[in-house]
Amino acid sequence: MSGRAQALGLISGLTASQRAWKPGISQPFLNTDQIQTYLKQGFLVLTDFYSPTDCQNMRDAMTKLTAAYDPSKDKAAVFETGEKQVTQDYFLESGDKIRYFLEAGAVDEQGKLQVAKEVAFNKVGHALHTLDPVFKRYTFEPRVAQIARDLGLQAPSIPQSMYIFKQPGIGGEVTPHQDSTFLKTDPLSTTGFWIPLQDCTTSNGCLEVLPASHTHGLINGHQMVRVVKDGVVDTEFLGEPGTYPDDEFVPAETPQGSLVMIQGEVVHRSAANTSDKSRHAYTFHAIDTHETTYDSRNWLKQYQPFPLL
């Protein structure tokens, strides 16, 4: 973790009481300092939250999924970030499915792989947390449920999850954004949980955060919404994306097995992976369901009540 991130208190190791924490003991998991850092900065890292075995279990589960995947039998979508989000049905109907999103140039028009399969994937999502038993176990574990409540969510539910590969040498840049742009509730409640399954550094595209940027709310009302154009369901963005000074972003170099909490309005990004090392991560989002309304215009359709955490 960079010196700037340490100076801001964005990184925290587990305390002895946190390592000994057990479900059902009716006490918070996060301590007061950790909660205050999150509320002030909109970002918090807990190191050593997951063991190396836990991380390997998630990586093995994804290897099993991708090994069984045949892009020629699926209308796999190439995924791009920023204002060029995939808009076809494959993406829009992925909320209750496990779907595979490929790097640009990974397949030809016939769906045949043009690169080695292990480096073809950009991400896999968006219902890993309900449809795959390994990811379901790590998503709905009691410590995570308690942390969500420690951060202020009274009845947290999980609308989506995804596995991000950030492939070596070709893993693309993720432009500055706020998670609430894509998952908006009223009042705002989106909270990201991000788990690095490999060490994340500035060379392989670690997260970079704009501390305390969540205090400005959803900037310019920027939101990705479902629309119908000429009878076809599509997406568009409301409002203009914000612009941010490069030198104010703080790199968050996170070791494997950390748990990163990202407030839904904090601005964050990641650079391209220019290294020869991948940067696998599993991430999911929580929203509050207590006196909170899920925006029906969100790209992610709510087919049924999202599962409670």
Side-chain angles (χ1 to χ4, degrees):
M1 177 79 63
S2 73
R4 291 169 65 193
Q6 290 176 327
L8 290 168
L10 299 182
I11 185 169
S12 179
L14 293 182
T15 65
S17 62
Q18 287 171 333
R19 294 182 186 279
W21 188 92
K22 301 293 183 184
I25 59 177
S26 300
Q27 70 179 40
F29 186 89
L30 298 178
N31 62 40
T32 300
D33 288 344
Q34 292 165 341
I35 293 171
Q36 288 304 310
T37 293
Y38 177 84
L39 294 177
K40 180 179 180 180
Q41 306 294 354
F43 192 86
L44 178 68
V45 178
L46 292 181
T47 58
D48 298 319
F49 191 84
Y50 294 99
S51 70
T53 299
D54 293 332
C55 294
Q56 191 62 52
N57 287 343
M58 286 184 265
R59 291 184 63 191
D60 288 346
M62 183 50 58
T63 297
K64 182 178 179 180
L65 287 171
T66 55
Y69 176 70
D70 183 354
S72 68
K73 297 179 180 178
D74 192 13
K75 49 180 180 178
V78 173
F79 186 81
E80 297 180 68
T81 62
E83 298 297 297
K84 296 182 179 179
Q85 287 275 9
V86 176
T87 56
Q88 61 263 52
D89 289 346
Y90 188 86
F91 172 71
L92 290 171
E93 296 175 1
S94 63
D96 60 348
K97 303 173 181 67
I98 296 176
R99 287 199 159 164
Y100 301 79
F101 300 88
L102 307 178
E103 293 286 358
V107 294
D108 61 18
E109 293 180 357
Q110 286 73 46
K112 294 182 179 179
L113 284 170
Q114 301 299 296
V115 298
K117 190 175 185 181
E118 60 268 22
V119 297
F121 298 96
N122 176 287
K123 72 171 187 174
V124 174
H126 288 92
L128 289 166
H129 62 292
T130 58
L131 298 181
D132 183 274
V134 174
F135 292 106
K136 183 175 184 177
R137 181 170 78 249
Y138 287 112
T139 302
F140 291 95
E141 71 143 287
R143 294 183 302 167
V144 174
Q146 183 59 53
I147 287 171
R149 289 165 174 82
D150 294 345
L151 297 178
L153 303 182
Q154 296 187 51
S157 66
I158 308 296
Q160 72 156 14
S161 56
M162 53 191 161
Y163 190 104
I164 303 168
F165 293 83
K166 203 78 163 180
Q167 302 286 7
I170 60 172
E173 172 191 14
V174 176
T175 56
H177 65 281
Q178 299 171 291
D179 288 346
S180 288
T181 289
F182 305 97
L183 290 172
K184 185 174 181 290
T185 64
D186 182 20
L188 298 170
S189 66
T190 300
T191 305
F193 292 87
W194 198 90
I195 306 163
L197 304 180
Q198 298 172 302
D199 291 342
C200 300
T201 67
T202 53
S203 63
N204 70 357
C206 68
L207 291 175
E208 299 178 18
V209 62
L210 195 59
S213 52
H214 63 301
T215 59
H216 303 294
L218 191 57
I219 295 169
N220 300 330
H222 190 52
Q223 183 185 1
M224 182 181 177
V225 297
R226 278 180 175 248
V227 295
V228 179
K229 297 179 179 178
D230 299 323
V232 177
V233 180
D234 203 340
T235 61
E236 68 179 19
F237 283 87
L238 306 178
E240 295 297 319
T243 56
Y244 314 100
D246 278 346
D247 61 357
E248 293 186 10
F249 281 89
V250 176
E253 293 186 301
T254 49
Q256 176 195 62
S258 300
L259 178 66
V260 183
M261 290 139 279
I262 308 171
Q263 207 273 359
E265 290 77 69
V266 81
V267 178
H268 56 289
R269 67 182 186 184
S270 65
N273 183 357
T274 59
S275 77
D276 60 357
K277 294 181 173 60
S278 57
R279 194 223 63 184
H280 290 202
Y282 173 59
T283 182
F284 54 93
H285 291 89
I287 59 172
D288 207 347
T289 60
H290 177 73
E291 298 182 353
T292 303
T293 302
Y294 183 76
D295 195 324
S296 61
R297 300 173 299 170
N298 285 334
W299 77 266
L300 181 69
K301 186 175 180 181
Q302 189 172 19
Y303 297 94
Q304 57 188 353
F306 297 128
L308 290 173
L309 180 58

